[in-house]
Amino acid sequence: GFSDGELSRVNSKYGRRLEFDVECRVKPLLQWLSDLEMTAPEVRKAVVRCPKIFDVDLEKVSKPVVFWLKDLGMNDAQVKRAILACPQLIALTLVGCLKPKVRWFKDLG
């Protein structure tokens, strides 16, 4: 579980009281992060740093981002490290955000 301090930080960053369906949103996300070999402390850290990940559609946004990162050549350990360094990565859309940015960087040479 989360400490009172962690929950307070999540609520202050998120800007509103977090009220999600535990069965439909929270458990699947936590299980998926565990499937990515994240430990419980790492999952807590990611959620505290970016509580918005609870607000994102796991199937339509987060999972496709991970598949895309692997298509770019990242292995499982690198994907995990990227998510831990920048948890908002799994809350960004591919078409509207990530792919255009990568394309822009590639065009720079």
Side-chain angles (χ1 to χ4, degrees), residues 15-105:
R16 65 178 169 91
R17 192 95 185 122
L18 291 177
E19 295 176 11
F20 296 114
D21 183 328
V22 172
E23 294 299 319
C24 292
R25 287 267 195 198
V26 177
K27 282 186 179 180
L29 176 70
L30 297 180
Q31 181 59 54
W32 180 68
L33 292 172
S34 294
D35 292 345
L36 293 174
E37 304 297 325
M38 288 191 186
T39 64
E42 290 171 334
V43 170
R44 277 195 308 275
K45 183 178 178 182
V47 169
V48 169
R49 289 184 65 206
C50 184
K52 183 178 185 211
I53 62 177
F54 281 124
D55 225 5
V56 174
D57 188 309
L58 184 62
E59 298 297 325
K60 292 180 181 175
V61 177
S62 301
K63 286 183 179 182
V65 167
V66 169
F67 293 135
W68 180 69
L69 292 173
K70 289 180 179 183
D71 283 345
L72 289 176
M74 295 176 80
N75 63 35
D76 290 341
Q78 291 169 322
V79 169
K80 175 185 169 182
R81 203 168 34 245
I83 294 169
L84 289 172
C86 184
Q88 57 270 35
L89 186 63
I90 59 172
L92 300 172
T93 62
L94 283 176
V95 175
C97 189
L98 291 173
K99 285 183 178 181
K101 284 181 173 73
V102 169
R103 193 175 313 112
W104 182 81
F105 279 111

Side-chain angles (χ1 to χ4, degrees), residues 1-11:
F2 292 91
S3 70
D4 289 340
E6 288 169 329
L7 288 175
S8 177
R9 281 195 302 272
V10 167
N11 280 324

